[in-house]
Amino acid sequence: MSRATARNGAAPRRPGDEDDICPVCKSSRYLNPSMRFLVNPECYHKMCESCVDRIFSHGPAPCPVAGCARTLRKARFRRQTFEDLHIEREVDIRRRVAGVFNRREEEFESLRHWNNYLEEVENLTWNLLQGVDVKETEKKLDAYQRQNEQEIKQNAALESQENANTEAEFAAQREQARLRREAARNEELDERRDKEEGRREIVEMMAKSEGDADAIARETQKVVLKKSTARRTAAEKSRQQAAANVDNGAAAPLFSIQGLKRVIQAAPEKEYDPFGGYVIKPEYYHLRDHYEHPWLDNARSDAQITAGGYDVREYCARAMMEAFAGLGVFVEDEIGARETGAEKGIGTASAAAAGGGGGEGVEGDVL
């Protein structure tokens, strides 16, 4: 196959070569390397820039590609971003739908409502991508845009503000990284300069003095080490100060979190009450903490009584409760209420006779 192609004098076609040929004028990028291709989001047919200028400079015109009769305008032609035109079209559609349906999660009452909203938006996007009920989908899109124009503008402004904050944060991080690199480079240059100065000082001191050369070298090295330590300490303090400024909010305008829901603090748990809040409070007496009585005084101090955990206050509480237990209880009223209930409960003459009422039973009554 390659020999036959060589004999014919034509180079073999590579995959993608047909994309470098304008479908209108049949010009090839092989013959014109500077040729640029443009696409129109109306139909996504690619053509060279010369054909766009020649056909659409005088106003809107139908697409020159065979089989396409859509009216195109020169202002909407642009450079192709993705190599695959299908991806180019999908990205444009999703960007357009997201610009209209730009609701935020915190606007919904629950996660289920938010997920239902996302599903509805994806269904509309899928219909536009696949060409299913395009007219009906476009009507829904336009109607929603008209009804929620103010909310769409507000959410778009919030999104642009968040993007600006994120970009400012990235710029601040890049600036801080640049400053750190510059500081490290300056520190390395200072160390080299100190070493050179130390060597120079050693040579000068050896030339001027008649002392031991090793001692002179050691003293000079100590001086250089002190300078290096002081410089590193100062640099570390400056870095800590910069970090403290960031923590104290010096970089607050560069970063902000939007859309966080308000966190409601949970109420502290109450102490466990086995009675469920029911308080047994005496009504006719007040229990004191201390009662004067010889026996009680002896019980409080006798180790044989208190060794087992006996508490005199429990005895006093029980004695007072038994003493006042009968107050407020009227026996006659209870007996009268009991008799009244018994009379209302008798249903037949036989039951009255059996209960001692003295009534005559009905003949043939079966109990």
Side-chain angles (χ1 to χ4, degrees):
M1 179 67 67
S2 60
R3 293 180 180 177
T5 304
R7 285 196 300 268
N8 294 334
R13 294 183 62 84
R14 296 172 300 174
D17 284 351
E18 60 275 5
D19 296 336
D20 293 338
I21 300 176
C22 178
V24 181
C25 63
K26 306 303 180 182
S27 299
S28 175
R29 185 173 289 174
Y30 178 78
L31 300 176
N32 186 9
S34 61
M35 183 172 60
R36 295 195 311 168
F37 288 95
L38 303 177
V39 293
N40 193 305
E42 189 69 26
C43 61
Y44 291 94
H45 287 143
K46 184 170 63 174
M47 61 190 71
C48 68
E49 190 174 9
S50 300
C51 292
V52 172
D53 294 336
R54 177 173 51 86
I55 299 174
F56 301 99
S57 294
H58 300 287
C63 179
V65 177
C68 182
R70 296 190 178 183
T71 302
L72 308 180
R73 290 171 174 80
K74 182 181 178 181
R76 299 198 62 186
F77 278 92
R78 56 180 174 81
R79 293 286 300 275
Q80 182 179 349
T81 305
F82 299 94
E83 184 178 359
D84 192 350
L85 288 176
H86 295 285
I87 299 178
E88 185 88 15
R89 176 174 175 270
E90 180 175 353
V91 170
D92 290 342
I93 292 177
R94 290 189 177 277
R95 185 183 295 113
R96 177 195 169 199
V97 175
V100 176
F101 291 93
N102 57 354
R103 293 284 186 180
R104 305 166 69 87
E105 184 176 358
E106 59 266 21
E107 299 182 34
F108 294 86
E109 297 179 353
S110 63
L111 182 61
R112 178 178 295 275
H113 292 87
W114 167 247
N115 291 332
N116 293 338
Y117 167 78
L118 293 180
E119 183 178 1
E120 181 66 21
V121 173
E122 184 62 27
N123 290 336
L124 296 177
T125 306
W126 182 257
N127 291 341
L128 294 177
L129 291 174
Q130 301 299 324
V132 179
D133 297 335
V134 177
K135 293 184 179 180
E136 187 67 23
T137 305
E138 290 289 349
K139 289 181 181 179
K140 291 182 180 179
L141 198 65
D142 296 339
Y144 179 85
Q145 187 173 5
R146 289 193 303 269
Q147 295 173 1
N148 304 272
E149 184 176 1
Q150 188 65 26
E151 290 80 1
I152 292 173
K153 291 181 179 179
Q154 293 177 358
N155 292 335
L158 288 175
E159 184 178 1
S160 62
Q161 182 65 32
E162 290 178 353
N163 295 336
N165 292 340
T166 304
E167 185 63 28
E169 180 191 3
F170 289 159
Q173 292 177 357
R174 290 193 295 268
E175 181 65 18
Q176 292 178 1
R178 186 189 66 81
L179 294 177
R180 287 194 298 268
R181 291 194 301 269
E182 185 177 355
R185 184 167 56 253
N186 294 336
E187 184 177 357
E188 183 179 359
L189 293 176
D190 292 340
E191 288 183 359
R192 291 181 182 178
R193 190 181 305 108
D194 292 342
K195 289 181 180 179
E196 292 294 335
E197 292 179 357
R199 293 193 189 99
R200 193 181 309 109
E201 290 178 0
I202 291 174
V203 173
E204 292 178 356
M205 293 179 66
M206 285 182 179
K208 293 179 181 180
S209 62
E210 297 179 356
D212 187 7
D214 294 336
I216 295 173
R218 286 195 297 270
E219 290 297 330
T220 308
Q221 290 294 334
K222 288 181 181 179
V223 175
V224 173
L225 182 60
K226 287 182 180 179
K227 291 182 180 179
S228 177
T229 304
R231 186 178 58 255
R232 291 179 180 176
T233 304
E236 183 65 24
K237 287 183 178 179
S238 63
R239 284 193 292 267
Q240 292 178 359
Q241 183 65 27
N245 291 336
V246 173
D247 294 338
N248 291 333
L254 300 179
F255 180 73
S256 62
I257 301 176
Q258 299 290 336
L260 291 181
K261 295 182 178 179
R262 181 178 299 177
V263 179
I264 301 176
Q265 296 290 341
E269 294 185 2
K270 298 181 180 180
E271 186 178 356
Y272 175 71
D273 185 7
F275 298 102
Y278 180 74
V279 180
I280 303 177
K281 185 178 181 180
E283 183 178 359
Y284 298 103
Y285 65 91
H286 175 69
L287 184 64
R288 294 186 298 179
D289 295 335
H290 186 80
Y291 289 94
E292 297 290 342
H293 193 275
W295 185 88
L296 296 179
D297 296 339
N298 183 31
R300 292 190 186 97
S301 60
D302 191 353
Q304 295 181 356
I305 297 177
T306 60
Y310 183 80
D311 191 358
V312 177
R313 290 177 297 180
E314 294 182 0
Y315 167 78
C316 295
R318 185 175 69 253
M320 294 292 291
M321 183 184 64
E322 291 175 354
F324 288 89
L327 294 180
V329 177
F330 302 98
V331 180
E332 295 180 357
D333 296 341
E334 293 186 359
I335 293 176
R338 190 188 312 156
E339 291 178 352
T340 303
E343 292 177 359
K344 291 181 179 180
I346 298 175
T348 60
S350 299
E360 297 181 0
V362 180
E363 189 175 351
D365 232 356
V366 180
L367 297 179

